[in-house]
Amino acid sequence: MAMGDFQSSKITNAEKIARVRLIRTNKIGPATFQRLLQTHGSAVSAIDFLETNQPELAVYSYEKAISEFDALHQMDGDFLFLGDATYPERLVAIADAPPVLAIKGKLELASARII
């Protein structure tokens, strides 16, 4: 499955939190992140699997992920998620695109024409 094939129109808040937790977990990079989503169908299910079957990974905590969301929102920032409509198209096209981006500023500039 190519990175662009993971496009979806809506990612729930629970899934967003789980995606931040998953990508922030040690030893989980973009390729492993995508394999876990393909295997388990969602980050929520992948987190459940890892916490049950691989506790030595020490999955990034829910509390820390919520703190990241809060801190980013206090700075007028937000997260973008691979597979969501707001994720920059240019990044979707690359191999191992970052599954989660923290942004601050004008999102529309990400799709602006580059000279």
Side-chain angles (χ1 to χ4, degrees), residues 43-62:
V44 171
S45 294
I47 292 283
D48 288 342
F49 172 82
L50 292 174
E51 288 180 329
T52 301
N53 298 292
Q54 295 184 350
E56 68 279 2
L57 276 183
V59 173
Y60 195 73
S61 78
Y62 177 87

Side-chain angles (χ1 to χ4, degrees), residues 2-78:
M3 297 301 254
D5 294 341
F6 191 68
Q7 294 290 330
S8 68
S9 60
K10 179 80 172 150
I11 299 173
T12 66
N13 288 338
E15 181 67 9
K16 289 177 181 182
I17 293 164
R19 287 183 183 202
V20 169
R21 292 181 66 202
L22 192 57
I23 197 60
R24 296 285 191 260
T25 298
N26 287 335
K27 300 184 182 180
I28 307 251
T32 302
F33 180 97
Q34 288 301 323
R35 277 195 304 276
L36 286 165
L37 261 62
Q38 290 169 10
T39 301
H40 299 284
S42 71
V44 171
S45 294
I47 292 283
D48 288 342
F49 172 82
L50 292 174
E51 288 180 329
T52 301
N53 298 292
Q54 295 184 350
E56 68 279 2
L57 276 183
V59 173
Y60 195 73
S61 78
Y62 177 87
E63 293 77 13
K64 286 182 181 178
I66 292 296
S67 292
E68 274 195 65
F69 274 89
D70 291 344
L72 193 54
H73 287 140
Q74 286 178 359
M75 295 185 302
D76 292 324
D78 207 353

